[in-house]
Amino acid sequence: MSLATYFVPLAVALTGAFAIEAAASPQRPSLRPGDLAIRAAGYALITLFWFQFSWRPWLAASSCLLTLAILSVVDRLKRRVIGEPVVFSDLALLAQVPRHPQLYYTLPLTDLRIAGPLLLAIATVVAWYVLEPTALPSGTGASLLAILGLPVALAALALAGLTPLGQRALRPIFPHPDLARDVARYGLVATMMGYALRRLGEDDARPVPARGEGSSDDEVVVVVQLESFLDPARLGGPDLPVMARIRAQAAQYGRLAVPAHGAYTMRSEHAVLTGLDPESLGFGRYDPYLARKGEEPTSLARLARAAGFETVFVHPFHRDFFDRARVFQRLGFERLVMEEDFAGTPRIGPYIGDVAVADRILAEVAKGRGSTGGRTFVFSVTMENHGPWKPGRLTGIDEPLAQYLHHVAHTGQAIERLIDGLAGRRATLCVFGDHAPSLPDLRPPESGPMATDYALFRFGRDGGPPPARIDLTAAQLGCVLRDAVTPKRCGFGG
């Protein structure tokens, strides 16, 4: 076969992929020769990736174009809802989509609207195999060498990027995460590949917090991450009674700067649990659980456990989501109370209600009172306010904002129940929103993710200072919370 057999389809793939991205991207792609060369290398590697499965050049070129088309559609949707481009760690979430399609605004694989196009695509690929001749070299030995050699070469290229020499070559191209800029310069594919290699080549060392003198005098520490919570009055909704109680009774409260808008719960979760800013995580900032898998010496749960607390995680959803069951055990939680422990609990819309979660938290605290020492640290993640916001979620309420306001009223009731339930103890209670709700009319501002709200209560203490509004980042809140389990670390007030 002539070289044109290989290079004409490749040229079509490179040109078409660039055209697809240029048409779909909200940013004008860079036309500098060096940037174009890196972008083209990404397209070429995707084409070779598909080529190794079929050795049919036009099928590989078409697969490259289809890959870029799908990526561009997802990228456009993600930018509109969350405010950032597709990133390499999003690929790790693909396995969750068929298991939890409702969370990703998709349909189950069994739905004909999904199954039909998939079956058609499979039939098209099978037909293409029959119609397009293979481009394997002639001879059994040469064909076998090519079939084995190309995957080995691609794997070797990826491994070369992880060597010190490879990292030195990548570092000037991707010195630090700047996702929007890099996608505009190098395209989605090259940026995803470069970020993945930079992440895998990073040093995973994390700071170990200095031990405070003495020990926490709290009997109970409860930290609740409230799904998509912020003061609904900021969205034009009614005032929640709990907001007045927060301003009157909390030790401190305020706006919380979070790492993402409308999604990526694990980013805020990780920041609060570890006290680590996203900037300190390097290229692992986009999915800290994927990057570190819970091996965090600064974890609040580890510190609490070392200080003599029983550590409990309460989350009324699947154990496999974000691999939370495994990650939270590594973070230092002794007991996990998850969806199966809420069997029989009524749902409000698709999920277990926040008030039921508050009741379970108080039950865990009461259970801890009878154990040795009776000291309990609970970290909880709620679910009631999770999207999607679609018709049929609530009977008689179809408008997304109205649905959210219905749910967030229950969140306010849950917070009040926790306040009342812990007020008689020497306890710390912290509640905070992980990110703004992903409502259709609540787009991410250009300045960055919309801030949520938090509140910190200190019960069983007399004569403290009056409530103060202190705006924090999620990581700063995590640093503040260390005082509840290991005092004299960062100090209340940040």
Side-chain angles (χ1 to χ4, degrees):
M1 288 189 176
S2 67
L3 290 178
T5 302
Y6 300 98
F7 286 108
V8 171
L10 179 60
V12 170
L14 301 188
T15 306
F18 179 82
I20 289 170
E21 276 209 88
S25 176
Q27 299 169 286
R28 182 179 177 182
S30 170
L31 299 179
R32 289 187 288 186
D35 296 348
L36 287 173
I38 294 170
R39 183 188 288 264
Y43 298 153
L45 286 171
I46 284 292
T47 305
L48 286 172
F49 172 81
W50 291 118
F51 183 63
Q52 70 181 324
F53 297 111
S54 68
W55 283 84
R56 286 161 172 80
W58 285 107
L59 177 58
S62 300
S63 299
C64 172
L65 296 179
L66 181 59
T67 300
L68 263 296
I70 293 171
L71 275 177
S72 296
V73 169
V74 174
D75 179 72
R76 195 174 186 87
L77 175 64
K78 187 182 172 189
R79 286 176 188 262
R80 188 170 72 247
V81 175
I82 300 170
E84 73 176 35
V86 170
V87 69
F88 73 96
S89 56
D90 291 332
L91 297 177
L93 302 178
L94 286 178
Q96 297 184 160
V97 176
R99 285 182 288 180
H100 311 288
Q102 77 280 7
L103 297 184
Y104 294 94
Y105 291 81
T106 61
L107 298 168
L109 292 176
T110 53
D111 191 289
L112 282 178
R113 288 167 290 181
I114 296 295
L118 283 177
L119 292 173
L120 179 61
I122 293 171
T124 301
V125 170
V126 171
W128 206 312
Y129 262 80
V130 174
L131 295 173
E132 183 181 2
T134 179
L136 280 168
S138 58
T140 303
S143 294
L144 185 61
L145 182 63
I147 290 171
L148 297 176
L150 181 55
V152 170
L154 291 174
L157 184 61
L159 291 174
L162 300 178
T163 65
L165 182 62
Q167 289 292 304
R168 281 200 299 271
L170 286 169
R171 201 169 291 119
I173 302 171
F174 304 107
H176 55 80
D178 192 343
L179 196 52
R181 182 206 67 174
D182 290 337
V183 168
R185 292 186 66 182
Y186 309 123
L188 286 168
V189 171
T191 300
M192 292 174 76
M193 291 177 178
Y195 275 38
L197 290 172
R198 290 285 284 120
R199 160 65 207 124
L200 292 171
E202 281 181 325
D203 181 6
D204 281 336
R206 292 286 188 271
V208 178
R211 296 285 183 186
E213 297 180 3
S215 62
S216 169
D217 55 3
D218 276 314
E219 297 174 359
V220 176
V221 177
V222 173
V223 182
V224 185
Q225 178 172 280
L226 303 167
E227 173 62 41
S228 302
F229 176 76
L230 49 76
D231 182 355
R234 295 169 56 192
L235 304 180
D239 291 325
L240 290 182
V242 74
M243 298 309 296
R245 293 190 67 177
I246 286 172
R247 289 187 286 269
Q249 299 176 24
Q252 67 183 68
Y253 63 91
R255 300 286 168 81
L256 191 69
V258 291
H261 180 97
Y264 292 105
T265 294
M266 84 290 274
R267 297 184 190 176
S268 301
E269 199 171 288
H270 182 271
V272 171
L273 277 169
T274 65
L276 297 175
D277 286 305
E279 290 74 18
S280 71
L281 305 178
F283 289 86
R285 65 184 296 175
Y286 300 104
D287 189 341
Y289 290 165
L290 177 66
R292 290 284 295 171
K293 302 187 184 304
E295 296 298 332
E296 299 289 0
T298 63
S299 162
L300 287 175
R302 286 194 183 188
L303 300 178
R305 196 168 174 177
F309 287 84
E310 181 188 18
T311 53
V312 184
F313 175 55
V314 178
H315 179 48
F317 200 59
H318 298 282
R319 301 174 69 87
D320 65 344
F321 198 65
F322 293 153
D323 199 21
R324 271 201 180 102
R326 186 179 310 174
V327 167
F328 272 76
Q329 287 175 336
R330 290 177 177 171
L331 283 168
F333 287 92
E334 298 167 273
R335 287 198 300 112
L336 308 180
V337 179
M338 306 196 77
E339 187 178 47
E340 62 272 18
D341 299 294
F342 287 86
T345 304
R347 294 173 181 261
I348 301 177
Y351 311 110
I352 302 296
D354 287 356
V355 172
V357 175
D359 288 341
R360 185 57 188 253
I361 291 170
L362 293 174
E364 293 298 325
V365 169
K367 191 185 301 181
R369 189 184 288 241
S371 64
T372 304
R375 308 177 77 206
T376 307
F377 172 79
V378 178
F379 185 86
S380 179
V381 176
T382 68
M383 277 298 293
E384 183 178 344
N385 291 333
H386 204 294
W389 309 101
K390 299 190 295 187
R393 177 186 177 116
L394 293 171
T395 302
I397 306 176
D398 286 341
E399 200 271 321
L401 179 58
Q403 291 179 346
Y404 176 75
L405 294 177
H406 178 85
H407 288 300
V408 83
H410 299 152
T411 305
Q413 294 167 13
I415 298 171
E416 291 198 271
R417 193 160 296 195
L418 290 170
I419 294 171
D420 295 336
L422 296 173
R425 307 288 298 271
R426 191 166 184 85
T428 292
L429 168 65
C430 177
V431 295
F432 69 95
D434 57 349
H435 52 68
S438 56
L439 297 168
D441 296 328
L442 190 64
R443 300 299 183 212
E446 292 185 5
S447 57
M450 186 176 182
T452 62
D453 290 276
Y454 85 95
L456 183 68
F457 297 85
R458 300 275 279 168
F459 302 113
R461 295 159 179 83
D462 297 324
R469 174 173 171 172
I470 303 173
D471 296 341
L472 299 173
T473 67
Q476 287 170 336
L477 179 60
C479 186
V480 167
L481 285 169
R482 286 184 200 159
D483 272 3
V485 294
T486 55
K488 312 301 182 188
R489 172 60 183 153
C490 294
F492 280 88

